[in-house]
Amino acid sequence: MGNVHVLDHPLIQHKLTHIRDKNTGTKEFRELVDEVAMLMAFEITRNLPLAETKIETPVMETKAHVLAGKKIGLIPILRAGLGMVDGMLKLIPAARVGHVGLYRDPETLQPVEYYIKLPSDISERELIVIDPMLATGGSANDAIHSLKKRGAKQIRLMCLVGAPEGVELIKKEHPDVDIYLAALDDGLDEHAYITPGLGDAGDRLFGTK
Ligand code: PRP
Ligand code: URA
């Protein structure tokens, strides 16, 4: 069964509080999302395999560790997922980036896929699907099904804020997918916005609305 990990490092919590605040403007919102994505990337890369190598320090020869070169793919869900890409690439610069374009129909709340472009070798990569919001879970669920249909074997999901409803859907549909959140919130309102949440992540990131 996929596990849910809440990455509640104090720095993440502090920055998330400012992200949630409705008085935080677009520029600061964008910078904070970028920073939290970087901090979350630090946490979720703990399991990366290492290889041993030999180097010479100015004092002596020694064995040391370097990353074993595991192939990673970041898959932002458009649009809001884009806000987390650069922060993650700061720590994982060699990752390839694929895009899944989905929007949630405001009437039906069902996700509608409008774009997909992925690295050709997704079956060999560990994919990290990224989106600030996991609300009903419909968008992430669709994105993960889409990736699996195209051969993806190893997938993790990373969001800033999740609702229990979204977490349950992903656990049910994708028990092989671990979920990483900066916060697990209370629930959803009548428009399926996360409560307390942070509002519309895409609009706040890109200054639309
Ligand atoms: C938001 C968000 C997620 C989705 C979450 O995207 O970024 O992709 O809603 O809701 P769900 O879990 O109920 O599917 P939105 O559809 O607003 O599109 P945008 O990123 O283009 O703003
Ligand atoms: N999408 C958002 O951007 N925010 C929510 O709270 C739910 C879906």
Side-chain angles (χ1 to χ4, degrees):
M1 182 57 100
N3 289 313
V4 183
H5 310 262
V6 179
L7 307 176
D8 55 359
H9 187 289
L11 288 175
I12 293 178
Q13 289 191 55
H14 175 85
K15 290 175 191 296
L16 185 60
T17 298
H18 291 290
I19 288 173
R20 288 185 190 278
D21 189 335
K22 69 174 188 183
N23 295 313
T24 298
T26 297
K27 174 177 178 289
E28 204 190 342
F29 186 91
R30 207 179 277 151
E31 289 167 355
L32 287 162
V33 169
D34 181 75
E35 289 167 12
V36 170
M38 185 175 70
L39 292 168
M40 292 181 79
F42 181 74
E43 294 274 11
I44 74 167
T45 46
R46 276 181 192 282
N47 66 340
L48 285 183
L50 292 170
E52 203 170 80
T53 186
K54 248 192 233 161
I55 54 161
E56 275 184 53
T57 74
V59 179
M60 61 181 284
E61 189 174 280
T62 186
K63 286 181 190 160
H65 292 101
V66 290
L67 290 171
K70 190 174 180 63
K71 292 171 150 192
I72 293 184
L74 304 181
I75 314 289
I77 300 180
L78 306 181
R79 235 173 358 154
L82 288 176
M84 299 172 74
V85 174
D86 287 352
M88 295 192 73
L89 284 176
K90 281 179 195 144
L91 293 194
I92 327 170
R96 299 296 157 88
V97 182
H99 296 86
V100 179
L102 286 175
Y103 69 88
R104 193 172 74 159
D105 185 292
E107 301 299 324
T108 64
L109 301 180
Q110 292 308 303
V112 182
E113 186 175 303
Y114 59 87
Y115 183 76
I116 186 151
K117 181 77 183 174
L118 303 170
S120 56
D121 55 356
I122 56 163
S123 61
E124 295 158 35
R125 290 186 179 269
E126 174 167 339
L127 303 181
I128 306 173
V129 174
I130 51 184
D131 192 326
M133 311 308 279
L134 179 66
T136 64
S139 303
N141 177 37
D142 248 48
I144 295 168
H145 274 304
S146 224
L147 294 172
K148 286 183 174 174
K149 203 169 68 188
R150 291 168 172 83
K153 295 193 174 71
Q154 260 188 295
I155 303 177
R156 297 198 275 169
L157 172 64
M158 189 179 118
C159 305
L160 290 189
V161 180
E165 291 84 340
V167 168
E168 284 315 309
L169 182 70
I170 300 300
K171 280 171 80 170
K172 180 163 91 50
E173 293 277 322
H174 305 285
D176 54 317
V177 172
D178 276 0
I179 304 170
Y180 298 82
L181 303 172
L184 179 59
D185 275 13
D186 300 339
L188 300 173
D189 72 8
E190 65 277 21
H191 306 292
Y193 272 82
I194 298 176
T195 55
L198 51 80
D200 189 306
D203 282 345
R204 294 193 67 192
L205 267 170
F206 296 107
T208 45
K209 193 150 191 112

